[in-house]
């Protein structure tokens, strides 16, 4: 594997960052554990270098990620659109973490594009999604890696900043590492993922507490929503090895659903014996948001890109349909399922 962090470019970036007047770190819309973990980890590394930076997200993230060191200082475009856009569009060095195209930055898209067009801004993408758009000045892209946090750890090594690895930095990196690898379950896990976990644990970071904060933080209504979705809204197509869950805005409101409450539902559908493809869709902000998961050779990234305006990874992808009803998206999915059937008949 080519090491994108080995080149001159990454060493030169360190020098550039050290003298930059404004450094801004951004990530994708609906930020997840890897988006926030990698962004706050980079902020931590930069402050150890004496470089202040702003972390700007398109929108809010789930409460179960609020424990992360540095969370209080994160700025949000949906809360303060003008100030957030101005920070991003005028950054001297702009980091784009965990996303492979400006369109993934939601409300920050225009500001990211402005920074890309500005000759005085250096835009640096660090990401692990396939087929990145060629939008940044420096593209540190490696789709063979399971999480952006693993790439930030490689940046830490390339910059010879290992001395900055304390338990706060380790906690941020560990969050992205475990959330994007399904706690070391997915095929994207490499020996280096465990080497990194070992180095993080050696800082004294409380890994067991982090797992609890992320995975044992359900509200009662959230558990009840999960129970409802699995008992009433799960459709299984065993002959096609597929399972689908859908939730309407009314159903989400009934259970007082909060951001992040439905995360993981799609994995419950995929956990059914024999199922190789699972889809979850919900009404969200006037659009239909879709999460797709697969086991083995079937590419949900292709499905997301071809049918649901999305993308992602081979076994974990997503998309969104604007201006289409939940029922229409569900009908389309159910009609497509038999066409995928032949490709889903495998055990592994
Ligand atoms: P999730 O289902 O957890 O929201 O997302 C799974 C994966 O699909 C993530 O890697 C995420 O980056 C990607 N993904 C989710 N939604 C979208 C989308 O609307 N567009 C694209 N291009 N990727 C998405
Ligand atoms: Mn990621």
């Amino acid at each position: 594997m080519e090491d994108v962090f080995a080149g001159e470019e990454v060493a030169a970036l360190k020098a550039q960052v050290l003298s930059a007047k404004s450094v801004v770190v951004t990530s994708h819309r609906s930020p997840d554990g890897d988006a926030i973990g990698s962004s706050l980890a980079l902020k931590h590394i930069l402050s150890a270098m004496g470089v202040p930076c702003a972390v700007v997200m398109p929108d809010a993230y789930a409460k179960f990620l609020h424990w992360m060191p540095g969370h209080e200082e994160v700025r949000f475009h949906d809360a303060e659109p003008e100030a957030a856009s101005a920070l991003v569009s005028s950054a001297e060095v702009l980091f784009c973490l965990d996303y492979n195209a400006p369109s993934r930055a939601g409300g920050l898209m225009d500001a990211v594009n402005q920074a890309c067009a500005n000759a005085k801004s250096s835009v640096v993408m660090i990401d692990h999604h396939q087929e990145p758009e060629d939008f940044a000045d420096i593209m540190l892209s490696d789709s063979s890696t399971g999480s952006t946090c693993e790439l930030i750890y490689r940046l830490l090594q390339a910059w010879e900043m290992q001395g900055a690895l304390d338990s706060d930095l380790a906690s941020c990196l560990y969050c992205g590492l475990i959330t994007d690898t399904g706690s070391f379950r997915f095929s994207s896990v490499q020996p280096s993922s465990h080497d990194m976990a070992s180095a993080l644990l050696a800082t004294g970071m409380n890994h067991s507490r982090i797992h609890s904060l992320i995975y044992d933080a359900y509200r009662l209504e959230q558990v009840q929503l999960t129970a409802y979705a699995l008992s009433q809204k799960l459709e299984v197509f065993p002959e096609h090895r597929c399972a689908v869950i859908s939730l309407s805005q009314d159903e989400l409101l009934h259970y007082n659903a909060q951001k992040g409450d439905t995360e993981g539902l799609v994995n419950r559908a995929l956990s059914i014996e024999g199922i190789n493809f699972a889809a979850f869709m919900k009404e969200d902000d006037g659009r239909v948001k879709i999460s797709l998961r697969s086991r083995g050779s079937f590419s949900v990234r292709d499905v997301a890109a071809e049918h649901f305006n999305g993308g992602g990874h081979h076994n974990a992808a997503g998309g969104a349909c604007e201006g289409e009803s939940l029922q229409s998206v569900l009908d389309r999915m159910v009609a497509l399922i038999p066409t995928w059937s032949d490709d889903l008949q495998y055990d592994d």
Side-chain angles (χ1 to χ4, degrees), residues 85-329:
S85 293
L87 273 170
V88 170
S89 61
S90 66
E92 194 175 324
V93 180
L94 176 69
F95 284 94
C96 303
L97 304 189
D98 202 37
Y99 63 102
N100 62 359
S103 59
R104 295 280 297 130
L108 287 175
M109 177 177 74
D110 289 346
V112 170
N113 279 327
Q114 277 172 39
C116 292
N118 182 348
K120 289 195 194 124
S121 295
S122 285
V123 180
V124 185
M125 184 202 75
I126 303 179
D127 179 52
H128 67 132
H129 292 90
Q130 286 168 300
E131 295 185 12
E133 264 178 35
D134 188 9
F135 69 98
D137 300 300
I138 299 179
M139 304 267 294
L140 302 172
S141 162
D142 181 356
S143 62
S144 68
T145 297
S147 62
T148 298
C149 276
E150 289 171 77
L151 301 180
I152 296 296
Y153 183 66
R154 275 161 59 191
L155 181 71
L156 177 84
Q157 292 171 316
W159 279 356
E160 297 181 340
M161 283 300 301
Q162 290 94 327
L165 186 61
D166 60 10
S167 70
D168 278 357
L169 172 56
S171 300
C172 297
L173 290 171
Y174 194 69
C175 177
L177 177 63
I178 62 171
T179 53
D180 260 30
T181 61
S183 298
F184 303 101
R185 284 193 307 139
F186 300 155
S187 55
S188 54
V189 170
Q190 298 165 347
S192 60
S193 317
H194 287 279
D195 289 341
M196 170 174 158
S198 166
L200 302 185
L201 281 179
T203 66
M205 167 203 84
N206 190 340
H207 68 283
S208 172
R209 176 172 169 269
I210 293 172
H211 280 269
S212 277
L213 288 167
I214 296 172
Y215 296 113
D216 305 328
Y218 294 97
R219 288 173 301 107
L220 175 60
E221 284 168 316
Q222 185 181 1
V223 175
Q224 288 168 335
L225 174 63
T226 302
Y228 169 73
L230 294 178
S231 64
Q232 308 295 317
K233 301 301 306 280
L234 169 68
E235 286 183 75
V236 183
F237 305 86
E239 70 281 24
H240 303 311
R241 310 283 202 114
C242 293
V244 181
I245 298 173
S246 61
L247 287 174
S248 68
Q249 188 68 50
D250 285 349
E251 290 165 327
L252 292 163
L253 277 175
H254 180 78
Y255 289 95
N256 186 28
Q258 316 281 308
K259 230 171 209 303
D261 276 8
T262 55
E263 238 167 76
L265 259 181
V266 66
N267 295 312
R268 303 298 289 269
L270 189 69
S271 73
I272 302 165
E273 193 179 11
I275 295 302
N276 286 330
F277 169 94
F280 168 67
M281 59 181 78
K282 65 173 178 180
E283 285 177 329
D284 175 46
D285 247 353
R287 60 189 189 141
V288 178
K289 186 75 191 90
I290 298 150
S291 281
L292 303 173
R293 298 290 185 272
S294 65
R295 260 199 284 254
S297 60
F298 189 78
S299 168
V300 286
R301 193 181 76 85
D302 291 350
V303 168
E306 276 168 39
H307 302 286
F308 302 108
N309 314 310
H313 308 282
H314 181 82
N315 291 132
C321 299
E322 314 262 351
E324 187 177 358
S325 71
L326 179 68
Q327 190 60 50
S328 162
V329 178

